[in-house]
Amino acid sequence: PIRSEKRMNYVWVVKAGAQKGQSKYSLDPESAYIDPRDKQRVTRDKICCDVCGNLLRRPYRVRAYRRRTPYDPPESEVDRKMEPDIYLVGHRCMKGLLGIAGQ
């Protein structure tokens, strides 16, 4: 889903503050959390953003789930599932995926 022509078909969420070992994802970029393990890995391995390809300094984990269509059954009947893929993106790309204007 990270490819530019497919992004609009998904709702994007960012990893939020992990307390007590729980991993949560949020639609709010202000609650974004940088996992210390990702920060170390990015520094050591020179990892690039999965959206724009630039070297990462502040890596954020993002995931996606398929956007609902008018033809989908109600969510009360069928739960949406998050895609299994986890992407590492930079701050600006994370805000853009989450739909923050001007990003």
Side-chain angles (χ1 to χ4, degrees):
I2 199 76
R3 295 185 62 187
S4 61
E5 65 271 6
K6 293 185 177 184
R7 284 183 211 146
M8 66 184 149
N9 297 325
Y10 292 86
V11 175
W12 293 90
V13 292
V14 64
K15 185 172 184 175
Q19 287 129 6
K20 298 181 183 174
Q22 294 178 341
S23 185
K24 304 267 186 200
Y25 284 83
S26 171
L27 294 165
D28 179 15
E30 299 302 319
S31 67
Y33 169 77
I34 297 176
D35 191 314
R37 295 170 297 179
D38 291 336
K39 182 74 173 163
Q40 291 170 354
R41 210 174 111 220
V42 162
T43 304
R44 182 185 65 231
D45 298 337
K46 306 269 190 265
I47 296 174
C48 296
C49 174
D50 288 326
V51 173
C52 69
N54 291 334
L55 282 177
L56 288 173
R57 288 182 289 158
R58 296 188 293 172
Y60 295 92
R61 287 185 186 195
V62 294
R63 293 181 70 186
Y65 56 92
R66 197 165 254 310
R67 194 174 294 279
R68 295 183 57 74
T69 67
Y71 308 106
D72 289 339
E75 200 160 337
S76 60
E77 294 176 14
V78 179
D79 287 337
R80 287 187 281 180
K81 303 261 189 268
M82 253 203 262
E83 295 290 321
D85 303 321
I86 299 173
Y87 302 98
L88 285 178
V89 300
H91 184 75
R92 187 177 197 156
C93 291
M94 176 266 297
K95 289 180 92 173
L97 286 172
L98 271 59
I100 304 303
Q103 299 300 321

XYZ file of all heavy atoms in Angstrom:
840
model
N 0.784 -1.220 0.000
C 0.000 0.000 0.000
C 0.826 1.284 0.000
O 0.292 2.347 -0.204
C -0.821 -0.096 1.272
C -0.322 -1.247 2.044
C 0.551 -2.029 1.170
N 2.130 1.204 0.214
C 2.945 2.419 0.316
C 3.192 3.056 -1.052
O 3.518 4.235 -1.131
C 4.275 2.134 1.060
C 4.914 3.412 1.596
C 5.256 1.413 0.162
C 4.275 3.960 2.797
N 3.006 2.314 -2.128
C 3.222 2.891 -3.460
C 2.245 4.034 -3.688
O 1.089 3.977 -3.296
C 3.057 1.815 -4.527
C 4.143 0.733 -4.393
C 4.085 -0.269 -5.470
N 4.324 0.392 -6.747
C 4.194 -0.217 -7.902
N 3.833 -1.466 -7.950
N 4.416 0.436 -9.011
N 2.726 5.086 -4.330
C 1.950 6.323 -4.435
C 0.564 6.133 -5.059
O -0.394 6.769 -4.634
C 2.734 7.386 -5.198
O 3.020 6.948 -6.496
N 0.440 5.243 -6.028
C -0.862 5.062 -6.667
C -1.844 4.275 -5.792
O -3.037 4.253 -6.064
C -0.720 4.409 -8.046
C -0.181 2.997 -8.026
C 1.335 2.909 -8.095
O 2.019 3.944 -8.040
O 1.842 1.779 -8.199
N -1.367 3.632 -4.729
C -2.248 2.852 -3.859
C -2.524 3.526 -2.519
O -3.439 3.134 -1.804
C -1.626 1.476 -3.588
C -1.544 0.605 -4.809
C -1.032 -0.756 -4.458
C -1.017 -1.645 -5.696
N -0.619 -3.004 -5.361
N -1.748 4.540 -2.167
C -1.856 5.154 -0.829
C -3.243 5.660 -0.493
O -3.688 5.565 0.637
C -0.872 6.317 -0.702
C 0.525 5.878 -0.497
C 1.443 7.065 -0.300
N 2.743 6.689 -0.832
C 3.573 7.508 -1.419
N 3.275 8.772 -1.560
N 4.723 7.075 -1.875
N -3.938 6.230 -1.473
C -5.244 6.829 -1.181
C -6.306 5.786 -0.853
O -7.369 6.124 -0.336
C -5.694 7.693 -2.350
C -5.977 6.928 -3.602
S -6.384 8.062 -4.911
C -5.758 7.169 -6.302
N -6.035 4.516 -1.118
C -6.991 3.454 -0.815
C -6.893 2.970 0.628
O -7.593 2.042 1.013
C -6.782 2.262 -1.752
C -7.029 2.624 -3.193
O -7.896 3.441 -3.496
N -6.269 2.036 -4.091
N -6.001 3.571 1.398
C -5.740 3.122 2.761
C -5.837 4.269 3.756
O -5.619 5.424 3.414
C -4.347 2.494 2.859
C -4.255 1.187 2.112
C -3.966 1.163 0.760
C -4.504 -0.009 2.759
C -3.908 -0.031 0.064
C -4.448 -1.210 2.073
C -4.153 -1.220 0.729
O -4.112 -2.403 0.052
N -6.144 3.925 4.986
C -6.084 4.855 6.110
C -4.770 4.552 6.825
O -4.478 3.397 7.144
C -7.275 4.646 7.077
C -7.140 5.540 8.295
C -8.586 4.884 6.354
N -3.977 5.590 7.060
C -2.645 5.416 7.636
C -2.645 5.772 9.113
O -3.304 6.722 9.531
C -1.637 6.277 6.875
C -1.482 5.775 5.485
C -2.197 6.153 4.400
C -0.601 4.744 5.045
N -1.808 5.432 3.304
C -0.831 4.557 3.670
C 0.360 3.961 5.679
C -0.128 3.614 2.926
C 1.059 3.036 4.931
C 0.809 2.866 3.570
N -1.899 5.000 9.877
C -1.773 5.231 11.315
C -0.297 5.157 11.693
O 0.494 4.488 11.034
C -2.601 4.218 12.132
C -4.083 4.449 11.942
C -2.244 2.784 11.771
N 0.066 5.876 12.754
C 1.453 5.930 13.209
C 1.546 5.298 14.592
O 0.601 5.361 15.384
C 1.967 7.396 13.224
C 1.210 8.240 14.230
C 3.463 7.447 13.484
N 2.693 4.682 14.868
C 2.892 4.087 16.186
C 2.884 5.197 17.229
O 3.591 6.185 17.105
C 4.214 3.321 16.239
C 4.406 2.591 17.546
C 5.608 1.698 17.521
C 5.681 0.923 18.830
N 6.763 -0.033 18.815
N 2.058 4.997 18.253
C 1.920 5.997 19.314
C 2.707 5.541 20.539
O 3.230 4.429 20.577
C 0.450 6.176 19.652
N 2.795 6.400 21.534
C 3.548 6.114 22.752
C 3.245 4.737 23.308
O 2.099 4.407 23.563
N 4.268 3.950 23.467
C 4.100 2.581 23.969
C 4.342 2.559 25.471
O 5.453 2.762 25.917
C 5.064 1.648 23.248
N 3.275 2.353 26.229
C 3.402 2.246 27.670
C 3.138 0.813 28.088
O 2.240 0.168 27.572
C 2.418 3.186 28.370
C 2.848 4.626 28.262
C 1.728 5.509 27.748
O 0.617 5.065 27.582
N 2.039 6.754 27.485
N 3.946 0.334 29.014
C 3.809 -1.021 29.561
C 3.866 -2.068 28.454
O 3.129 -3.046 28.468
C 2.517 -1.150 30.355
C 2.485 -0.227 31.549
C 1.211 -0.389 32.318
C 1.184 0.610 33.467
N -0.067 0.604 34.175
N 4.711 -1.847 27.470
C 4.923 -2.841 26.420
C 3.803 -2.968 25.412
O 3.833 -3.844 24.574
N 2.788 -2.116 25.481
C 1.693 -2.192 24.542
C 2.003 -1.338 23.316
O 2.461 -0.220 23.441
C 0.399 -1.703 25.175
C -0.085 -2.581 26.296
C -1.346 -2.024 26.924
O -1.666 -0.857 26.779
N -2.065 -2.879 27.626
N 1.756 -1.891 22.175
C 1.980 -1.163 20.940
C 0.634 -0.666 20.421
O -0.269 -1.448 20.173
C 2.642 -2.078 19.913
O 2.959 -1.361 18.768
N 0.504 0.635 20.286
C -0.739 1.235 19.806
C -0.441 2.064 18.567
O 0.649 2.598 18.418
C -1.330 2.153 20.874
C -1.578 1.486 22.196
C -2.969 0.969 22.258
C -3.217 0.439 23.662
N -4.276 -0.451 23.750
N -1.437 2.194 17.716
C -1.312 3.034 16.531
C -2.408 4.089 16.573
O -3.493 3.844 17.081
C -1.409 2.187 15.262
C -0.139 1.419 15.008
C 0.099 0.211 15.634
C 0.836 1.923 14.167
C 1.278 -0.487 15.419
C 2.013 1.237 13.952
C 2.231 0.037 14.577
O 3.389 -0.632 14.372
N -2.104 5.265 16.037
C -3.019 6.397 16.143
C -3.108 7.149 14.816
O -2.167 7.132 14.019
C -2.506 7.334 17.237
O -3.233 8.532 17.243
N -4.220 7.845 14.646
C -4.391 8.738 13.503
C -3.788 10.112 13.778
O -3.688 10.933 12.884
C -5.884 8.909 13.190
C -6.608 7.659 12.713
C -8.108 7.859 12.796
C -6.185 7.315 11.304
N -3.399 10.360 15.019
C -2.910 11.661 15.462
C -1.379 11.729 15.384
O -0.692 11.027 16.128
C -3.366 11.904 16.903
C -2.883 13.227 17.458
O -2.432 14.088 16.677
O -2.952 13.392 18.692
N -0.825 12.570 14.508
C 0.635 12.657 14.400
C 1.302 13.209 15.656
O 2.477 12.968 15.894
C 0.867 13.570 13.202
C -0.396 14.329 13.045
C -1.493 13.460 13.568
N 0.547 13.938 16.482
C 1.112 14.484 17.716
C 1.438 13.384 18.726
O 2.245 13.586 19.626
C 0.156 15.504 18.338
C -0.130 16.701 17.450
C 1.123 17.473 17.065
O 1.990 17.662 17.931
O 1.219 17.878 15.893
N 0.793 12.241 18.609
C 1.052 11.140 19.539
C 2.116 10.178 19.012
O 2.366 9.144 19.620
C -0.245 10.381 19.825
O -0.691 9.721 18.653
N 2.735 10.521 17.885
C 3.741 9.647 17.266
C 4.901 9.383 18.223
O 5.323 10.249 18.978
C 4.249 10.272 15.982
N 5.404 8.170 18.163
C 6.445 7.693 19.061
C 7.598 7.145 18.230
O 7.375 6.373 17.300
C 5.837 6.596 19.948
C 6.812 5.802 20.766
C 7.368 6.322 21.925
C 7.149 4.505 20.407
C 8.240 5.587 22.698
C 8.024 3.762 21.170
C 8.565 4.303 22.318
O 9.422 3.572 23.072
N 8.808 7.546 18.570
C 9.990 6.994 17.893
C 10.548 5.889 18.776
O 10.992 6.143 19.893
C 11.057 8.069 17.645
C 10.512 9.146 16.714
C 12.321 7.442 17.054
C 11.449 10.311 16.487
N 10.511 4.681 18.271
C 11.039 3.535 19.012
C 12.562 3.664 19.078
O 13.208 3.825 18.042
C 10.637 2.245 18.286
C 10.909 1.003 19.102
O 12.018 0.909 19.678
O 10.029 0.137 19.166
N 13.152 3.597 20.266
C 14.615 3.734 20.383
C 15.385 2.707 19.549
O 16.456 2.995 19.036
C 14.886 3.534 21.876
C 13.597 3.791 22.548
C 12.510 3.468 21.560
N 14.813 1.519 19.379
C 15.484 0.497 18.556
C 15.559 0.936 17.098
O 16.557 0.709 16.422
C 14.764 -0.842 18.669
C 14.824 -1.437 20.063
C 13.910 -2.602 20.188
N 12.532 -2.117 19.988
C 11.465 -2.894 20.017
N 11.593 -4.174 20.210
N 10.265 -2.382 19.840
N 14.486 1.576 16.600
C 14.492 2.078 15.222
C 15.512 3.200 15.071
O 16.221 3.268 14.070
C 13.108 2.582 14.809
C 12.099 1.465 14.661
O 12.518 0.317 14.432
O 10.894 1.744 14.777
N 15.578 4.073 16.059
C 16.530 5.197 16.026
C 17.957 4.677 15.941
O 18.764 5.156 15.133
C 16.331 6.064 17.272
C 17.210 7.272 17.326
C 16.747 8.335 16.372
C 17.546 9.606 16.583
N 17.452 10.509 15.487
N 18.294 3.665 16.741
C 19.638 3.067 16.705
C 19.899 2.404 15.359
O 20.976 2.538 14.780
C 19.790 2.042 17.824
C 19.809 2.642 19.196
C 19.726 1.587 20.287
O 19.550 0.400 20.017
N 19.834 2.026 21.534
N 18.904 1.677 14.857
C 19.056 0.976 13.576
C 19.270 1.941 12.426
O 20.096 1.721 11.547
C 17.799 0.135 13.336
C 18.062 -1.097 12.533
C 16.819 -1.954 12.455
N 16.375 -1.877 11.077
C 15.129 -1.784 10.693
N 14.162 -1.750 11.547
N 14.838 -1.730 9.419
N 18.526 3.042 12.424
C 18.640 4.046 11.366
C 20.029 4.680 11.392
O 20.654 4.888 10.351
C 17.530 5.105 11.517
C 17.836 6.356 10.749
C 16.206 4.530 11.066
N 20.513 4.982 12.587
C 21.836 5.582 12.728
C 22.926 4.622 12.252
O 23.843 5.004 11.537
C 22.086 5.964 14.207
O 21.037 6.832 14.619
C 23.407 6.668 14.372
N 22.799 3.369 12.622
C 23.808 2.364 12.294
C 23.771 1.949 10.820
O 24.802 1.830 10.168
C 23.594 1.140 13.199
C 24.618 0.036 13.004
C 24.281 -1.196 13.837
N 23.026 -1.785 13.377
C 22.003 -2.086 14.162
N 22.055 -1.848 15.452
N 20.902 -2.610 13.667
N 22.562 1.734 10.273
C 22.430 1.120 8.947
C 22.079 2.091 7.821
O 21.920 1.676 6.686
C 21.371 0.018 8.990
C 21.741 -1.103 9.946
O 22.939 -1.281 10.233
O 20.820 -1.788 10.417
N 21.929 3.389 8.121
C 21.600 4.390 7.097
C 20.359 3.979 6.298
O 20.387 3.804 5.085
C 22.779 4.601 6.138
C 24.078 4.954 6.821
C 24.223 6.432 6.939
C 25.603 6.841 7.394
N 25.728 7.054 8.803
N 19.244 3.859 6.975
C 17.984 3.425 6.368
C 17.262 4.624 5.759
O 17.259 5.716 6.316
C 17.109 2.716 7.411
C 17.835 1.445 7.862
C 15.731 2.393 6.868
C 17.166 0.721 8.985
N 16.623 4.394 4.627
C 15.905 5.452 3.909
C 14.407 5.366 4.166
O 13.866 4.301 4.458
C 16.159 5.334 2.414
S 17.873 5.604 1.967
N 13.748 6.494 4.002
C 12.297 6.598 4.139
C 11.620 5.751 3.056
O 12.013 5.795 1.892
C 11.886 8.061 4.018
S 10.103 8.334 3.999
N 10.601 4.989 3.442
C 9.893 4.146 2.486
C 8.999 4.940 1.539
O 8.525 4.406 0.546
C 9.049 3.096 3.221
C 9.897 2.017 3.865
O 10.941 1.654 3.301
O 9.508 1.530 4.950
N 8.774 6.224 1.826
C 7.946 7.053 0.943
C 8.808 7.839 -0.033
O 8.663 7.734 -1.241
C 7.039 8.014 1.759
C 6.319 8.986 0.847
C 6.042 7.228 2.583
N 9.744 8.653 0.493
C 10.495 9.572 -0.373
C 11.911 9.100 -0.704
O 12.522 9.616 -1.625
C 10.548 10.962 0.256
S 11.549 11.051 1.752
N 12.446 8.167 0.058
C 13.779 7.651 -0.228
C 14.918 8.414 0.431
O 16.076 8.032 0.288
N 14.619 9.495 1.160
C 15.677 10.234 1.856
C 16.144 9.474 3.088
O 15.388 8.698 3.670
C 15.167 11.618 2.295
C 14.930 12.532 1.124
O 15.547 12.396 0.067
N 14.024 13.476 1.291
N 17.398 9.726 3.491
C 17.902 9.105 4.706
C 17.068 9.551 5.898
O 16.716 10.727 6.016
C 19.369 9.495 4.944
C 20.397 8.762 4.100
C 21.790 9.306 4.381
C 20.366 7.271 4.349
N 16.773 8.609 6.778
C 15.959 8.914 7.948
C 16.804 9.439 9.093
O 17.911 8.966 9.332
C 15.227 7.656 8.423
C 14.083 7.182 7.554
C 13.573 5.836 8.040
C 12.963 8.184 7.532
N 16.273 10.428 9.797
C 16.859 10.897 11.052
C 15.914 10.582 12.208
O 16.335 10.194 13.270
C 17.133 12.398 10.997
C 18.310 12.734 10.091
C 18.583 14.205 10.101
N 17.492 14.874 9.377
C 17.166 16.133 9.529
N 17.807 16.887 10.376
N 16.185 16.664 8.834
N 14.616 10.803 11.974
C 13.595 10.505 12.971
C 12.639 9.480 12.359
O 11.715 9.845 11.637
C 12.835 11.769 13.359
C 13.723 12.798 14.025
C 12.922 13.956 14.565
N 12.313 14.732 13.481
C 11.434 15.701 13.676
N 11.034 15.996 14.889
N 10.951 16.372 12.663
N 12.860 8.196 12.627
C 12.031 7.158 11.997
C 10.725 6.921 12.746
O 10.702 6.757 13.960
C 12.914 5.919 12.083
C 13.723 6.139 13.323
C 13.947 7.621 13.407
N 9.640 6.938 12.013
C 8.324 6.636 12.571
C 7.802 5.382 11.901
O 7.947 5.208 10.692
C 7.348 7.782 12.315
C 7.726 9.049 13.026
C 8.508 10.006 12.397
C 7.311 9.282 14.327
C 8.867 11.179 13.055
C 7.665 10.449 14.994
C 8.443 11.388 14.354
O 8.794 12.535 15.004
N 7.164 4.527 12.685
C 6.539 3.325 12.129
C 5.107 3.653 11.739
O 4.342 4.178 12.549
C 6.507 2.204 13.164
C 7.839 1.590 13.426
C 7.680 0.422 14.355
N 9.000 -0.087 14.728
C 9.187 -1.244 15.291
N 8.171 -2.033 15.573
N 10.408 -1.632 15.591
N 4.753 3.347 10.508
C 3.376 3.536 10.060
C 2.832 2.225 9.509
O 3.580 1.394 8.993
C 3.227 4.658 8.997
C 3.555 6.011 9.579
C 4.060 4.387 7.781
N 1.541 2.064 9.668
C 0.825 0.914 9.121
C -0.437 1.440 8.453
O -0.768 2.618 8.576
C 0.470 -0.082 10.218
C 1.708 -0.739 10.811
C 1.373 -1.742 11.865
N 0.750 -2.921 11.259
C 0.239 -3.914 11.974
N 0.263 -3.881 13.281
N -0.306 -4.945 11.375
N -1.145 0.554 7.782
C -2.349 0.988 7.063
C -3.437 -0.071 7.152
O -3.160 -1.253 7.352
C -2.006 1.234 5.598
N -4.660 0.401 6.999
C -5.785 -0.511 6.800
C -6.628 0.052 5.673
O -6.631 1.244 5.408
C -6.588 -0.760 8.079
C -7.142 0.457 8.772
C -8.417 0.918 8.483
C -6.398 1.134 9.728
C -8.934 2.025 9.131
C -6.911 2.239 10.380
C -8.179 2.679 10.079
O -8.698 3.779 10.707
N -7.283 -0.861 4.973
C -8.018 -0.476 3.773
C -9.153 0.485 4.103
O -9.884 0.304 5.054
C -8.568 -1.718 3.080
C -8.970 -1.456 1.653
C -9.173 -2.718 0.870
N -8.202 -3.118 -0.110
C -7.689 -2.391 -1.064
N -7.954 -1.116 -1.145
N -6.872 -2.889 -1.948
N -9.259 1.516 3.277
C -10.336 2.502 3.411
C -11.658 1.836 3.044
O -11.733 1.038 2.117
C -10.043 3.659 2.451
C -10.853 4.885 2.704
C -10.393 6.029 1.811
N -9.051 6.488 2.096
C -8.729 7.323 3.082
N -9.662 7.758 3.888
N -7.489 7.700 3.253
N -12.702 2.150 3.779
C -14.019 1.569 3.512
C -14.616 2.148 2.223
O -14.366 3.289 1.876
C -14.960 1.841 4.671
C -14.513 1.156 5.943
C -15.470 1.347 7.074
N -16.820 0.894 6.788
C -17.217 -0.379 6.724
N -16.343 -1.337 6.925
N -18.457 -0.689 6.467
N -15.406 1.356 1.559
C -16.133 1.805 0.371
C -17.632 1.712 0.672
O -18.035 1.022 1.612
C -15.816 0.921 -0.862
O -16.342 -0.393 -0.636
C -14.319 0.843 -1.119
N -18.448 2.366 -0.130
C -19.907 2.287 0.109
C -20.454 0.861 -0.011
O -21.526 0.565 0.496
C -20.505 3.177 -0.980
C -19.396 4.064 -1.411
C -18.123 3.305 -1.187
N -19.725 -0.015 -0.665
C -20.198 -1.380 -0.895
C -19.763 -2.349 0.199
O -20.194 -3.489 0.211
C -19.693 -1.879 -2.252
C -20.018 -0.913 -3.364
C -19.031 -0.130 -3.936
C -21.325 -0.759 -3.808
C -19.336 0.780 -4.942
C -21.639 0.148 -4.811
C -20.638 0.909 -5.371
O -20.948 1.815 -6.345
N -18.926 -1.909 1.117
C -18.465 -2.774 2.205
C -19.590 -3.001 3.213
O -20.418 -2.117 3.439
C -17.271 -2.146 2.935
C -16.012 -2.162 2.094
O -15.933 -2.982 1.159
O -15.103 -1.363 2.380
N -19.609 -4.194 3.837
C -20.596 -4.411 4.900
C -20.274 -3.514 6.095
O -19.126 -3.053 6.235
C -20.419 -5.891 5.253
C -19.071 -6.251 4.764
C -18.774 -5.347 3.606
N -21.231 -3.253 6.959
C -20.974 -2.403 8.125
C -19.837 -2.954 8.989
O -19.652 -4.167 9.090
C -22.290 -2.435 8.899
C -23.301 -2.945 7.949
C -22.592 -3.753 6.919
N -19.108 -2.040 9.609
C -17.981 -2.461 10.429
C -18.429 -3.273 11.638
O -17.664 -4.063 12.185
C -17.167 -1.250 10.876
C -15.778 -1.633 11.298
C -14.826 -0.467 11.292
O -15.058 0.518 10.600
O -13.825 -0.570 11.996
N -19.673 -3.110 12.048
C -20.192 -3.904 13.164
C -20.306 -5.388 12.787
O -20.319 -6.253 13.652
C -21.545 -3.371 13.616
O -22.471 -3.437 12.556
N -20.355 -5.660 11.481
C -20.464 -7.048 11.011
C -19.105 -7.640 10.631
O -18.860 -8.814 10.841
C -21.392 -7.123 9.804
C -22.819 -6.775 10.125
C -23.696 -6.759 8.894
O -23.271 -7.280 7.832
O -24.811 -6.208 8.980
N -18.256 -6.809 10.037
C -16.946 -7.292 9.577
C -15.879 -6.279 9.991
O -15.914 -5.128 9.574
C -16.925 -7.460 8.037
C -15.563 -7.927 7.575
C -18.005 -8.407 7.581
N -14.939 -6.718 10.819
C -13.852 -5.834 11.247
C -12.865 -5.611 10.120
O -12.617 -6.512 9.311
C -13.088 -6.439 12.429
C -13.877 -6.391 13.712
O -14.783 -5.547 13.810
O -13.573 -7.194 14.602
N -12.313 -4.413 10.072
C -11.211 -4.156 9.146
C -9.929 -4.629 9.804
O -9.758 -4.487 11.012
C -11.100 -2.673 8.815
C -12.196 -2.201 7.900
C -11.968 -0.799 7.474
N -12.380 0.100 8.545
C -12.294 1.407 8.477
N -11.815 1.980 7.414
N -12.694 2.161 9.480
N -9.045 -5.168 9.021
C -7.774 -5.666 9.535
C -6.646 -4.774 9.042
O -6.651 -4.329 7.904
C -7.519 -7.094 9.045
C -8.611 -8.067 9.424
C -8.220 -8.839 10.636
C -9.173 -9.962 10.914
N -10.248 -9.664 11.778
N -5.675 -4.542 9.918
C -4.500 -3.787 9.499
C -3.639 -4.658 8.592
O -3.535 -5.869 8.791
C -3.682 -3.348 10.711
C -3.827 -1.883 10.951
S -2.510 -1.142 11.849
C -3.199 -1.106 13.465
N -3.039 -4.020 7.607
C -2.109 -4.726 6.735
C -0.910 -5.165 7.581
O -0.525 -4.462 8.517
C -1.640 -3.806 5.609
C -2.741 -3.380 4.655
C -3.223 -4.522 3.781
O -2.403 -5.334 3.328
O -4.443 -4.597 3.564
N -0.296 -6.287 7.265
C 0.818 -6.763 8.087
C 2.103 -5.943 7.932
O 2.959 -5.969 8.814
C 1.034 -8.202 7.603
C 0.458 -8.230 6.225
C -0.653 -7.225 6.214
N 2.226 -5.197 6.835
C 3.454 -4.449 6.575
C 3.610 -3.272 7.528
O 2.652 -2.570 7.828
C 3.468 -3.916 5.139
C 3.319 -5.027 4.117
O 3.913 -6.099 4.329
O 2.613 -4.814 3.122
N 4.846 -3.061 7.972
C 5.197 -1.906 8.793
C 6.251 -1.128 8.021
O 7.243 -1.704 7.571
C 5.750 -2.336 10.165
C 4.685 -3.126 10.927
C 6.196 -1.117 10.968
C 5.194 -3.735 12.217
N 6.039 0.171 7.860
C 6.951 1.010 7.095
C 7.638 2.003 8.014
O 7.044 2.481 8.978
C 6.185 1.771 6.007
C 5.456 0.863 5.051
C 4.106 0.594 5.210
C 6.129 0.258 4.002
C 3.439 -0.242 4.343
C 5.467 -0.583 3.128
C 4.124 -0.829 3.305
O 3.468 -1.665 2.443
N 8.888 2.329 7.685
C 9.622 3.373 8.391
C 9.637 4.608 7.510
O 10.062 4.547 6.349
C 11.056 2.940 8.683
C 11.240 1.938 9.816
C 12.714 1.567 9.954
C 10.714 2.479 11.124
N 9.147 5.714 8.061
C 9.076 6.957 7.300
C 9.582 8.113 8.153
O 9.632 8.020 9.376
C 7.637 7.248 6.813
C 7.131 6.140 5.905
C 6.686 7.454 7.970
N 9.936 9.206 7.500
C 10.384 10.403 8.191
C 9.209 11.226 8.701
O 8.039 10.945 8.408
N 9.541 12.265 9.447
C 8.520 13.103 10.087
C 7.575 13.739 9.069
O 6.352 13.669 9.210
C 9.216 14.188 10.921
C 8.276 15.027 11.695
N 7.652 14.576 12.835
C 7.833 16.288 11.496
C 6.871 15.521 13.301
N 6.959 16.579 12.517
N 8.115 14.333 8.047
C 7.291 15.014 7.042
C 6.402 14.031 6.273
O 5.216 14.294 6.056
C 8.202 15.773 6.086
C 7.462 16.629 5.144
C 8.409 17.417 4.279
N 7.670 18.495 3.677
C 8.188 19.597 3.242
N 9.468 19.804 3.355
N 7.441 20.511 2.696
N 6.959 12.895 5.886
C 6.174 11.891 5.157
C 5.102 11.278 6.052
O 4.001 10.989 5.590
C 7.089 10.802 4.587
S 8.151 11.401 3.251
N 5.409 11.095 7.331
C 4.417 10.567 8.270
C 3.223 11.509 8.350
O 2.077 11.085 8.259
C 5.062 10.401 9.659
C 4.114 9.938 10.749
S 3.351 11.242 11.740
C 4.727 12.005 12.523
N 3.484 12.804 8.470
C 2.387 13.765 8.551
C 1.605 13.801 7.243
O 0.380 13.934 7.251
C 2.934 15.144 8.909
C 3.422 15.199 10.354
C 3.960 16.549 10.713
C 2.857 17.376 11.300
N 3.336 18.671 11.824
N 2.292 13.672 6.121
C 1.607 13.639 4.835
C 0.693 12.422 4.697
O -0.439 12.538 4.225
N 1.168 11.257 5.118
C 0.345 10.048 5.046
C -0.892 10.170 5.937
O -1.960 9.698 5.594
C 1.147 8.811 5.477
C 2.179 8.294 4.489
C 3.020 7.204 5.126
C 1.514 7.770 3.236
N -0.736 10.822 7.079
C -1.850 10.981 8.002
C -2.787 12.112 7.595
O -3.783 12.367 8.261
C -1.348 11.192 9.424
C -1.145 9.912 10.231
C -0.164 8.961 9.608
C -0.764 10.205 11.642
N -2.481 12.785 6.493
C -3.391 13.771 5.930
C -3.282 15.165 6.493
O -4.217 15.943 6.404
N -2.122 15.512 7.052
C -1.933 16.861 7.571
C -1.621 17.788 6.402
O -0.676 17.561 5.654
C -0.782 16.910 8.615
C -1.048 15.909 9.742
C -0.595 18.316 9.153
C -2.352 16.114 10.462
N -2.422 18.821 6.248
C -2.295 19.736 5.112
C -0.910 20.397 5.076
O -0.338 20.700 6.110
C -3.367 20.818 5.190
N -0.415 20.599 3.874
C 0.860 21.283 3.678
C 2.063 20.371 3.792
O 3.195 20.819 3.782
N 1.848 19.074 3.869
C 2.975 18.150 4.029
C 3.210 17.390 2.727
O 2.412 17.154 1.952
C 2.718 17.161 5.156
C 2.542 17.837 6.483
C 3.755 18.642 6.914
O 4.886 18.217 6.712
N 3.519 19.815 7.437
